[in-house]
Amino acid sequence: MTAPDPIARPKIDTSRPHPARMYDYFLGGKDNYPVDQEAAERFIAAAPEVKVAVRANRAFMRRAVRHVVGEGGIRQILDIGTGLPTEPNVHQIAREIAPETRVAYVDNDPIVGTHSMALLDDDEGISVVLADLREPRAILDHPDVRKVIDLNEPVALLLVAVLHFVQDDEDPAAIMSTLLDALPTGSYLILTHATVDFHEDRRKDAVAIYKNASATMNPRTHADVLAFFEGFTLLDPGLVTVPTWRPDGTDEKPDPNLPPIGFYGGVGRKDA
């Protein structure tokens, strides 16, 4: 397994909440700091469905990965915005079906790399890379990504609950174009994205909490998220809320007493 150079790795910033650590807190993890916990608790107060939502998001990811590996024949995965390790991790899910699957994990939080290296065994088929989605070309060209990802062969690109941290003025469409154009025919895009389409209050109080975090939250409409799949053929049932994408009966049932889950999810295939 390859990893970021520890000398070049920046220090962990615990002065502001970080989305990856807040997400870890929502999932019941312990790889977070008081600043993340305080922000997460305020988010929960404003959006009480969030804990169920993040679990549903991960369940979608598991189903989607199983599909692209099992039925799509994918043997290499580029997971950008991977977040802190939460079992089962992407490589564990994929390797239950195809043990030879290679995975490059990419995140911009140094704590993610630190904890990933501590938990993952020495494995030449896995890379952990410190990089930012806002610099897609740097990710694609990173030597530790290219050690495990061959862009001449189909790749599954995972962007799970990360693109909504890219602001409109940071040109998410251009970021997506750079990433998707680099993928060969037969590749897949697995994407989830926050939305406030289902909430009358537009979750303004919850979204505002991220203004003091290391990245702001930018929920988008169904049409906006759908545009990120341009050039890819969406698999049935299309772009839908994450619990309704090919449920397999093992997932947590939605709580009727909680507001709707505000995550869209979809899987697209590059056919040409």
Side-chain angles (χ1 to χ4, degrees):
M1 179 175 61
T2 56
D5 181 353
I7 296 175
R9 187 182 300 154
K11 293 182 179 179
I12 295 169
D13 181 4
T14 61
S15 66
R16 294 187 297 167
H18 191 283
R21 301 194 302 258
M22 289 177 65
Y23 193 91
D24 176 71
Y25 183 83
F26 293 142
L27 286 170
K30 298 180 180 179
D31 295 324
N32 46 72
Y33 295 92
V35 66
D36 309 304
Q37 297 160 15
E38 189 274 335
E41 284 294 341
R42 288 192 288 119
F43 194 96
I44 292 168
E49 73 280 7
V50 63
K51 288 186 175 182
V52 174
V54 296
R55 292 196 295 270
N57 185 63
R58 282 198 63 80
F60 162 87
M61 180 273 290
R62 291 193 294 270
R63 298 193 302 274
V65 168
R66 289 184 186 119
H67 176 81
V68 301
V69 174
E71 297 187 35
I74 290 295
R75 295 296 181 266
Q76 48 181 1
I77 299 172
L78 176 57
D79 182 3
I80 303 178
T82 181
L84 286 150
T86 303
E87 292 194 353
N89 294 294
V90 169
H91 71 283
Q92 294 169 323
I93 298 165
R95 287 177 173 182
E96 286 181 355
I97 300 169
E100 69 273 25
T101 305
R102 304 181 305 278
V103 180
Y105 291 110
V106 180
D107 203 281
N108 70 350
D109 185 2
I111 195 174
V112 172
T114 300
H115 283 259
S116 295
M117 288 302 300
L119 293 175
L120 296 174
D121 294 330
D122 186 21
D123 189 326
E124 292 303 316
I126 297 176
S127 285
V128 179
V129 175
L130 187 64
D132 197 299
L133 173 61
R134 297 169 184 82
E135 299 179 355
R137 192 72 252 171
I139 293 173
L140 293 168
D141 294 339
H142 196 290
D144 287 338
V145 169
R146 300 305 290 269
K147 281 181 182 178
V148 298
I149 301 295
D150 179 359
L151 290 176
N152 294 309
E153 299 293 333
V155 179
L157 171 63
L158 269 64
L159 295 171
V160 176
V162 63
L163 197 57
H164 48 244
F165 294 113
V166 176
Q167 300 178 60
D168 288 342
D169 61 8
E170 292 171 320
D171 204 349
I175 292 170
M176 292 299 295
S177 179
T178 299
L179 291 170
L180 299 185
D181 287 351
L183 302 182
T185 299
S187 294
Y188 287 84
L189 169 62
I190 298 174
L191 183 147
T192 70
H193 197 294
T195 185
V196 292
D197 283 355
F198 312 110
H199 305 105
E200 291 184 6
D201 65 356
R202 314 302 291 173
R203 285 291 182 260
K204 292 180 180 178
D205 290 345
V207 170
I209 291 166
Y210 280 89
K211 289 182 178 179
N212 295 321
S214 59
T216 62
M217 176 174 277
N218 307 275
R220 294 186 171 95
T221 67
H222 186 274
D224 291 336
V225 179
L226 187 62
F228 294 137
F229 285 89
E230 184 176 359
F232 278 59
T233 301
L234 275 167
L235 307 187
D236 289 337
L239 181 65
V240 295
T241 57
V242 288
T244 59
W245 194 90
R246 303 191 180 192
D248 59 13
T250 64
D251 301 321
E252 181 178 357
K253 302 297 182 183
D255 186 340
N257 297 313
L258 288 175
I261 289 173
F263 270 111
Y264 286 126
V267 179
R269 183 182 58 246
K270 190 171 187 177
D271 293 325

